[in-house]
Amino acid sequence: MQFISYGHSCFAIKIGGKNIVFDPFITPNALAGNIDITEIEADYIFLSHGHEDHIADCISLAGRTGAKVVCNFEIHLWLNNQGITNTHPMNTGGQWNFEFGTVKCVVAQHSGGLPDGSYGGNPVGFVFTTGEGNFYYSGDTALTLDMQLIPGYAALRFAVLPVGDNFTMGVEDAIRAAGFVQCKEVVGVHYDTFGFIKIDHEKAKQAFAREGLILHLLAPGESLNI
Ligand code: NI
Ligand code: MN
């Protein structure tokens, strides 16, 4: 699978010819100034929760591309009210068979208000099971024992986990999370964008390596075959 970073927790993965974009937050991100959002193609947009740093560009991207937005029920209603009607509501514990594979919505331990103060429901993570490989995107979350359920759902090729600390897991807990989900290859997200979440890249990679794990930290625009 090809993974491309758009900075912060925004990335895209192509599966079965479909371009799937996660947590679009590009135009407000000073570190993603090299990304032209008008050039991004999307067939699907997956939202982990409603915070600004995960949803800021959702309406413009969904509006231009016509992508189907997959998100929790409250965000689905909020988007519908703003004219984005190609949505697929899910909620924690549920799964659905999409044309590119199966997605299960799993627990994320975080909060989930929307940028205008509307109730945004609960945050979620996603487990993707596809013919091209399986992966887990945790969304913003603390380390949680619920992650131990995930190996029972899918053998993961890689996991996308926050490593920035302060608002989410930091490096040490992301290493424990990799153990819980039984996955040796991690793409780190949710770091460096704001002052509270700056990390030392080399130290983080070395901490993962000491546990026999690989941590990828991609610059915005960088891609990886994984
Ligand atoms: Ni958040
Ligand atoms: Mn966030």
Side-chain angles (χ1 to χ4, degrees), residues 49 51 53-54 110-111 140 167-168 190:
H49 64 299
H51 285 160
D53 60 318
H54 298 259
H110 190 65
S111 57
D140 282 9
F167 297 115
T168 66
H190 215 275

Side-chain angles (χ1 to χ4, degrees), residues 72-150:
N72 74 19
F73 191 74
E74 290 78 8
I75 300 173
H76 145 86
L77 292 178
W78 185 79
L79 289 170
N80 288 176
N81 284 334
Q82 296 180 73
I84 301 298
T85 54
N86 187 16
T87 53
H88 180 115
M90 295 185 75
N91 216 329
T92 320
Q95 70 175 17
W96 186 259
N97 298 321
F98 293 90
E99 58 192 325
F100 53 80
T102 300
V103 178
K104 188 172 182 76
C105 249
V106 296
V107 168
Q109 188 64 47
H110 190 65
S111 57
L114 286 155
D116 63 2
S118 301
Y119 175 61
N122 289 322
V124 298
F126 300 106
V127 178
F128 278 64
T129 304
T130 84
E132 296 177 37
N134 308 329
F135 65 94
Y136 164 53
Y137 171 44
S138 70
D140 282 9
T141 185
L143 178 69
T144 164
L145 290 171
D146 294 286
M147 292 170 178
Q148 295 179 346
L149 294 169
I150 289 171

